[in-house]
């Protein structure tokens, strides 16, 4: 197993390099880079993309001619020295190849630099936003497992019955509902949209959170996170439920189950004393991958709708503002997490079922 893990770890390096190279190359052709964003802010425009429509053409003709040689849209009226200083500050005075190599070297040492426009380190910013995204991902995954596993077992036992049919229809319908649409529906129904004001509209805690007792803080936290977690969980039941059902159906048909029943063991003892341990191997071992999937999937939309300041919203705002240290830093961190979780999932398979041998399978 050790050589297999070592090979997987070594594959992380070229994979991350490929991810960074592709995205770095794409950003070289995206208009409205950090320098143009800074120019727009310096001129009070607030948004660089307004400059692509032609900008302000009714005044400042002399200043326009002064800076007409600038390659940046919206740089009209600004001295070339100011533009050059911005380029040096953001590192755009160096060739793209050198900038990419410097970025790779810094990231290899987990030095992600500072945000262009927030004056805070990327790592500090990620740590600040991480609790929100972890809360959504962790609770959504746990709820999905708590509901899907018993439901999948029940469906396997009742295979082909009306219960199996209508529950399959229900979970497939839930899987087909877009998360953002379900989130809006929850807001309209239960957050004061048009019907009931039961849950808060935004945020992860109340304004007076620090003044509450320990029990009050727990209640306030769950009060705020109920709707976002429901919205993030709606599509997670189908795959896990059907996976559990199929795993149980495969095990129920095996000879050892028939032998256990022939010995006179109760159906409950057969299911949970023998079948459960074997059928749940793939479900339990896949927990890390499921968590990462829920952690990343739909986080941007859910966080935006419920005004939660998490990593999804951070990445979106950084991409819009062309805040490349945050964009590439979070991309590197998330890519590394995803690759390591893949290795962790393989280790989980071996831990719950020692019969699995990846070395032999590769050979």
């Amino acid at each position: 197993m050790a050589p297999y893990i070592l090979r997987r770890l070594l594959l992380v390096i070229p994979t991350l390099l490929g991810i960074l190279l592709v995205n770095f190359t794409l950003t070289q052709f995206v208009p409205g880079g950090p320098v143009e964003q800074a120019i727009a802010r310096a001129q009070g425009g607030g948004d660089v993309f307004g400059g692509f429509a032609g900008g302000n053409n009714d005044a400042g003709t002399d200043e326009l001619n002064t800076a007409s040689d600038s390659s940046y849209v919206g740089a009209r009226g600004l001295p070339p020295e100011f533009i050059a200083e911005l380029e040096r500050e953001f590192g755009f005075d160096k060739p793209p190849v050198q900038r990419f190599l410097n970025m790779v070297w810094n990231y290899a040492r987990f030095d992600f630099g500072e945000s262009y426009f927030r004056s805070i380190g990327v790592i500090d910013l990620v740590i600040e936003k991480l609790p929100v995204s972890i809360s959504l991902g962790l609770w959504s995954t746990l709820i999905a497992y708590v509901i899907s596993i018993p439901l999948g077992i029940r469906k396997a036992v009742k295979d082909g019955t009306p219960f199996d049919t209508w529950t399959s229809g229900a979970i497939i319908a839930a899987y087909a509902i877009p998360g953002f649409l379900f989130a809006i529906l929850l807001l309209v129904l239960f957050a004061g949209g048009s019907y009931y004001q039961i849950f808060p509209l935004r945020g992860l805690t109340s304004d007076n959170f620090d003044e509450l007792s320990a029990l009050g803080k727990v209640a306030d936290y769950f009060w705020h996170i109920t709707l976002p977690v429901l919205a993030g969980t709606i599509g997670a039941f189908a795959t896990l439920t059907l996976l559990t059902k199929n795993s149980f159906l495969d095990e129920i048909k095996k000879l050892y189950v028939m032998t256990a029943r022939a010995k006179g063991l109760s159906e409950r003892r057969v299911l949970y004393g023998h079948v459960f341990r074997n059928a749940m191997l793939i479900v339990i071992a896949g927990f890390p991958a499921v968590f990462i999937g829920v952690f990343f999937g739909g986080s941007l939309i859910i966080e935006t709708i419920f005004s939660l300041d998490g990593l999804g919203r951070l990445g979106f705002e950084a991409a819009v503002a062309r805040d490349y240290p945050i964009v590439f830093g979070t991309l590197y961190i998330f890519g590394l997490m995803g690759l390591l979780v893949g290795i962790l999932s393989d280790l989980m398979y071996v831990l719950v079922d020692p019969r699995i041998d990846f070395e032999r399978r590769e050979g």
Side-chain angles (χ1 to χ4, degrees):
M1 189 64 183
Y4 170 79
I5 296 176
L6 180 60
R7 285 195 296 271
R8 289 290 301 273
L9 289 174
L10 291 176
L11 282 174
V12 169
I13 299 175
T15 305
L16 282 177
L17 284 175
I19 293 173
L20 290 176
L21 178 60
V22 170
N23 287 275
F24 181 86
T25 303
L26 291 176
T27 58
Q28 305 308 305
F29 303 98
V30 176
V35 176
E36 290 192 351
Q37 292 284 348
I39 291 172
R41 296 187 182 197
Q43 293 182 327
D47 189 353
V48 67
F49 300 105
F52 292 104
N56 183 9
N57 297 319
D58 58 353
T61 305
D62 294 337
E63 293 180 341
L64 174 62
N65 294 331
T66 302
S68 61
D69 59 337
S70 174
S71 60
Y72 296 103
V73 176
R76 306 176 179 94
L78 294 177
E81 295 80 9
F82 178 77
I83 307 299
E85 179 61 29
L86 284 178
E87 290 180 337
R88 284 193 297 271
E89 182 178 349
F90 294 143
F92 285 91
D93 57 329
K94 302 179 180 66
V97 174
Q98 184 178 351
R99 284 190 281 118
F100 177 75
L101 294 177
N102 290 340
M103 182 181 69
V104 170
W105 170 245
N106 291 331
Y107 284 11
R109 297 176 292 131
F110 290 92
D111 178 11
F112 301 103
E114 289 190 355
S115 165
Y116 284 157
F117 306 112
R118 296 178 184 236
S119 298
I120 183 175
V122 174
I123 288 292
D124 296 332
L125 201 55
V126 169
I127 293 175
E128 178 185 330
K129 312 296 183 183
L130 195 59
V132 174
S133 297
I134 287 182
S135 295
L136 294 178
L138 183 60
W139 287 114
S140 297
T141 304
L142 290 178
I143 291 175
Y145 266 81
V146 167
I147 295 177
S148 296
I149 290 177
L151 180 60
I153 295 174
R154 186 68 174 173
K155 284 173 64 62
V157 174
K158 299 289 185 179
D159 183 43
T161 64
F163 173 83
D164 180 40
T165 302
W166 73 260
T167 52
S168 295
I171 62 174
I172 291 174
Y175 182 75
I177 298 176
F180 75 91
L181 186 61
F182 188 61
I184 294 173
L185 178 64
L186 291 176
L187 286 179
V188 172
L189 293 177
F190 303 113
S194 300
Y195 295 91
Y196 304 101
Q197 179 67 59
I198 300 176
F199 296 98
L201 183 61
R202 65 187 68 227
L204 200 60
T205 56
S206 300
D207 294 335
N208 63 336
F209 182 79
D210 294 332
E211 302 173 5
L212 299 175
S213 62
L215 186 59
K217 290 181 178 180
V218 173
D220 182 77
Y221 169 76
F222 282 106
W223 182 47
H224 280 77
I225 207 173
T226 298
L227 295 186
V229 167
L230 287 177
T233 310
I234 184 67
F237 295 116
T239 303
L240 192 55
T241 301
L242 296 179
L243 178 62
T244 304
K245 174 192 173 182
N246 293 333
S247 297
F248 263 76
L249 286 177
D250 290 341
E251 293 296 325
I252 287 174
K253 298 175 183 177
K254 292 184 177 179
L255 184 60
Y256 76 91
V257 177
M258 299 175 59
T259 303
R261 286 172 174 165
K263 290 181 178 179
L265 296 180
S266 65
E267 190 67 17
R268 183 178 181 84
R269 179 69 181 277
V270 172
L271 284 176
Y272 292 97
H274 296 274
V275 177
F276 185 84
R277 290 181 298 177
N278 295 319
M280 292 307 296
L281 291 177
I282 189 172
V283 178
I284 296 173
F287 180 84
V290 173
F291 171 69
I292 289 295
V294 177
F295 182 79
F296 292 122
S299 61
L300 165 60
I301 299 175
I302 299 300
E303 290 174 9
T304 301
I305 291 176
F306 291 99
S307 299
L308 299 175
D309 198 10
L311 291 176
R313 190 174 175 183
L314 171 67
F316 172 73
E317 292 176 349
V320 171
R322 304 295 190 265
D323 200 342
Y324 290 155
I326 296 179
V327 173
F328 289 115
T330 53
L331 182 69
Y332 180 88
I333 294 172
F334 294 160
L336 181 61
M337 287 176 57
L339 293 171
L340 293 180
V341 165
I343 300 175
L344 180 61
S345 296
D346 290 346
L347 293 177
M348 288 287 290
Y349 280 114
V350 176
L351 181 64
V352 299
D353 188 0
R355 296 172 298 176
I356 296 177
D357 188 352
F358 289 104
E359 288 289 333
R360 187 168 54 194
R361 289 190 176 190
E362 285 191 344

